[in-house]
């Protein structure tokens, strides 16, 4: 996989690279496999608290809060925050 040997990427770099990586991956037979380019890009993500913290705007009156970080025609990147002791049904995806 081409991205495996590359350095870590910041959230901004990840957001910029993800659409093209997904588009390229659509023609690969093993997409979604642990060794596909999208999975490799996720493994390269160096997600620091200062990157996601501005999007962590929890609403205590709700079971969970979803805040959009980035979107395009291929994907949405969200921060999901759940109340203490709660989990979102899709949190394991």
């Amino acid at each position: 996989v081409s991205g495996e040997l590359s350095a870590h990427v910041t959230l901004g770099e990840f957001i910029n690279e993800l659409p093209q990586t997904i588009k390229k991956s659509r023609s690969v037979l093993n997409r979604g496999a642990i060794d596909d380019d999208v999975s490799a890009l996720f493994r390269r993500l160096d997600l620091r608290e200062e990157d996601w913290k501005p999007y962590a705007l929890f609403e205590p009156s709700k079971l969970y809060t979803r805040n959009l970080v980035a979107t395009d025609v291929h994907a949405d990147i969200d921060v999901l925050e759940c109340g203490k002791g709660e989990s979102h049904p899709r949190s394991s995806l």
Side-chain angles (χ1 to χ4, degrees):
V1 175
S2 60
E4 283 300 323
L5 299 177
S6 299
H8 288 192
V9 293
T10 65
L11 179 59
E13 293 166 333
F14 178 84
I15 290 169
N16 289 331
E17 289 184 33
L18 185 59
Q20 188 61 33
T21 304
I22 290 172
K23 188 175 178 182
K24 182 174 82 169
S25 165
R26 289 180 186 248
S27 64
V28 177
L29 292 177
N30 68 342
R31 75 171 182 245
I34 192 75
D35 62 343
D36 76 2
D37 288 339
V38 174
S39 295
L41 180 60
F42 269 95
R43 285 192 300 277
R44 291 175 49 217
L45 177 60
D46 183 15
L47 190 58
R48 298 170 186 220
E49 185 173 348
E50 62 264 19
D51 295 332
W52 60 262
K53 193 77 167 174
Y55 304 100
L57 307 170
F58 183 64
E59 175 57 51
S61 66
K62 299 189 178 195
L63 182 62
Y64 71 93
T65 305
R66 177 177 45 215
N67 297 297
L68 184 65
V69 176
T71 187
D72 75 359
V73 298
H74 300 291
D76 293 333
I77 299 173
D78 300 313
V79 170
L80 293 176
E81 252 191 298
C82 299
K84 187 174 182 174
E86 301 291 339
S87 66
H88 186 275
R90 298 186 69 184
S91 63
S92 64
L93 296 179

